[in-house]
Amino acid sequence: MIDSQKQKKLKIIPLGGCEEVGRNMTVFEYEKDIVILDMGIQFPEEDMPGINYVIPNIEYLKGKEKNIQAVIFSHGHMDHIGAASILLDRIGNPLIIARPFTIEMIKHRHEDYSKGSSKRLKTIYVRKLEEKIKLGPFTIGFFQVDHAIIDAVGITIQTPVATVIHPGDWMIEYKPVGRQKIRYNHLSKLPKPTILMLESLGSTNTKKPVTEKEMLGNLKRLIKNAPGRTIIATFSSQVQRVEQILEYASEINKKVVLDGFSMKMAVEIAKKLGYIKAKKETIIPINKINDYPDKKIIVLCTGAQGEEKAVLPRIVNGEHYFIKIQKNDTIIFSSSVIPGNERSIQRLKDKLYRLSDKIIHSDIMDVHTSGHSNVWDIQKSSKRLNQLTLFRFMLIIFS
Ligand SMILES: [Zn+2]
């Protein structure tokens, strides 16, 4: 985008996440000043032995470190924050801006990477979405979005030549449970011209979206009628769903076991921030699982993508110390298939079918809502926002 009189340009430079899944990182540069959105990792392919993850190439930022006003993070998924513990140091540790849950996730990852390093972070916690932050020629605003993790936000970046609207990862929840439906109309009042940048992960998905109300109704029915234990594998950062299941478990007097390092960590952070208010007695430690009748037990765990060391594959492979699959267990995949993981998930399901009679996943019943906008959402949003410029080049953003 160019200011014709002064020839001043806003440059938008994706360093990752464009035409690929993962390692999302976008540079916004006006004159000399820079703000960055997200620093994510990409998970390795099967033909990358020895590689733990792939990070964005930051060559473009060499020599420009002092111009970086801040790094803003849209939400706490690894493909948006995972590279921060490596890259922030390399660009001179600039200010980081995000919602509380996202910053806490970044801090935790920093500590995991190098003990004590989170103390070096310069942070601004965005506690109210109405906050505006001035960074040189940029004015940063925030707006709520629905996504598969709490505290996900969209970002607006006002510059002297245009306003960028970037929802990050997002979808439209048509029937939210326990909260208001999000409206986006206010974005149409932003200074024009506006540039709308949308993720394209679900942009070819024409399936009618599953609503949270339908999904939760199905999960509750399955949990209530389960003849034995209910084992639900979901994404570790899916804290809102964990909270909803905890609430329902306490309502029908069942007990919940949480298993998986990343899931327990996300729930701990959410509890600390007051986002999870489950009754203390609803969650039981895993070593108490056999103190209750099977019917009373819900296991919430990681491993829905078939990741070798995560909880569900370990259970299925007979490597879990406390849990073995029993014939009357109900196993639910409350998750979607991350592109690239199709084979490992199929292998996991094949093994499971030999062990239990009740395996439920999204092809059988709506037990998951996608966190990514599909054709319906994208059409609605672009019509409503009445964009002067719709960024035709779609960013591939993934969670
Ligand atoms: Zn995401």
Side-chain angles (χ1 to χ4, degrees):
M1 188 62 65
I2 304 173
D3 181 326
S4 54
Q5 284 172 349
K6 298 171 204 155
Q7 287 292 301
K8 288 183 178 171
K9 290 179 191 168
L10 168 66
K11 293 184 194 165
I12 302 174
I13 304 151
L15 300 186
C18 185
E19 295 187 347
E20 62 183 359
V21 175
R23 60 168 166 176
N24 295 286
M25 181 168 176
T26 308
V27 171
F28 298 87
E29 187 175 27
Y30 179 77
E31 293 282 273
K32 271 175 28 208
D33 291 289
I34 286 173
V35 290
I36 296 169
L37 180 62
D38 292 332
M39 285 180 163
I41 54 164
Q42 187 173 53
F43 292 99
E45 301 295 331
E46 280 178 358
D47 58 357
M48 296 180 185
I51 306 289
N52 292 331
Y53 42 79
V54 184
I55 59 172
N57 181 340
I58 56 164
E59 195 67 25
Y60 181 78
L61 297 171
K62 267 206 178 136
K64 299 182 176 184
E65 293 81 355
K66 61 179 186 322
N67 304 339
I68 300 170
Q69 296 277 352
V71 184
I72 307 154
F73 292 91
S74 60
H75 65 287
H77 279 147
M78 282 304 138
D79 53 345
H80 291 257
I81 65 163
S85 48
I86 300 166
L87 297 184
L88 281 173
D89 250 355
R90 293 191 192 168
I91 57 170
N93 244 329
L95 177 68
I96 68 166
I97 301 171
R99 296 279 280 161
F101 185 77
T102 311
I103 292 194
E104 291 303 319
M105 291 285 279
I106 292 169
K107 280 187 172 174
H108 195 275
R109 190 155 168 91
H110 258 68
E111 287 303 305
D112 243 14
Y113 182 70
S114 160
K115 200 139 184 61
S117 63
S118 70
K119 292 191 184 79
R120 290 202 298 275
L121 289 172
K122 288 173 241 152
T123 56
I124 292 186
Y125 284 76
V126 180
R127 296 194 192 275
K128 288 189 182 147
L129 289 177
E130 305 78 52
E131 276 179 44
K132 292 263 185 284
I133 300 173
K134 189 103 180 88
L135 300 167
F138 306 104
T139 304
I140 312 298
F142 307 89
F143 59 96
Q144 199 185 349
V145 291
D146 268 313
H147 184 45
I149 187 167
I150 45 175
D151 270 357
V153 280
I155 314 289
T156 60
I157 305 173
Q158 283 182 46
T159 75
V161 289
T163 305
V164 176
I165 302 171
H166 196 308
D169 285 1
W170 71 291
M171 44 83 77
I172 295 178
E173 180 49 68
Y174 295 90
K175 286 186 183 166
V177 177
R179 61 189 194 284
Q180 291 290 312
K181 193 174 161 187
I182 298 174
R183 308 229 169 253
Y184 295 97
N185 307 48
H186 60 283
L187 298 175
S188 63
K189 297 189 185 98
L190 285 163
K192 304 222 168 16
T194 45
I195 300 169
L196 175 62
M197 297 176 71
L198 293 176
E199 67 163 326
S200 67
L201 188 70
S203 64
T204 52
N205 175 7
T206 52
K207 205 182 149 204
K208 194 167 186 279
V210 179
T211 68
E212 193 173 21
K213 200 174 165 198
E214 288 161 341
M215 178 273 301
L216 210 56
N218 287 337
L219 276 183
K220 284 181 178 178
R221 254 190 310 281
L222 287 166
I223 292 170
K224 193 175 178 191
N225 301 326
R229 300 176 303 186
T230 313
I231 300 175
I232 305 173
T234 190
F235 296 110
S236 59
S237 52
Q238 193 53 279
V239 175
Q240 204 160 26
R241 197 163 306 161
V242 171
E243 161 78 342
Q244 287 164 335
I245 292 169
L246 285 171
E247 241 175 61
Y248 184 62
S250 131
E251 227 177 280
I252 60 167
N253 199 25
K254 290 205 181 197
K255 302 292 176 195
V256 178
V257 170
L258 294 173
D259 200 19
F261 175 75
S262 50
M263 179 179 281
K264 285 196 274 194
M265 181 265 288
V267 168
E268 266 325 297
I269 291 175
K271 267 193 199 164
K272 201 172 90 183
L273 294 170
Y275 294 156
I276 285 190
K277 297 183 182 89
K279 282 186 193 158
K280 228 177 156 190
E281 62 272 19
T282 306
I283 303 177
I284 58 162
I286 197 156
N287 58 2
K288 298 272 185 275
I289 193 166
N290 295 322
D291 295 2
Y292 298 86
D294 285 351
K295 264 176 83 85
K296 290 275 172 205
I297 294 291
I298 302 167
V299 177
L300 273 171
C301 65
T302 56
Q305 298 301 313
E307 317 94 302
E308 222 176 291
K309 288 180 192 139
V311 176
L312 187 59
R314 283 198 286 118
I315 296 175
V316 173
N317 292 329
E319 293 163 2
H320 196 287
Y321 191 74
F322 294 100
I323 308 171
K324 303 267 175 287
I325 296 286
Q326 298 166 183
K327 206 72 178 148
N328 66 348
D329 284 341
T330 302
I331 296 104
I332 305 170
F333 286 77
S334 186
S335 57
S336 52
V337 177
I338 294 181
N341 292 347
E342 294 83 356
R343 279 174 58 189
S344 49
I345 295 173
Q346 193 53 51
R347 267 202 299 270
L348 180 65
K349 282 180 188 162
D350 289 350
K351 286 182 191 165
L352 265 170
Y353 282 123
R354 291 178 205 128
L355 300 170
S356 163
D357 297 330
K358 256 190 142 195
I359 319 293
I360 314 287
H361 50 81
S362 290
D363 293 340
I364 293 174
M365 196 187 284
D366 291 327
V367 285
H368 177 66
T369 54
S370 166
H372 300 277
S373 50
N374 61 10
V375 170
W376 295 55
D377 301 336
I378 292 169
Q379 276 173 350
K380 269 201 167 183
S381 62
S382 46
K383 256 185 225 161
R384 279 192 189 166
L385 290 172
N386 187 22
Q387 296 300 302
L388 288 182
T389 316
L390 175 64
F391 219 53
R392 287 289 171 193
F393 135 79
M394 307 271 258
L395 276 188
I396 299 185
I397 303 175
F398 186 70
S399 79

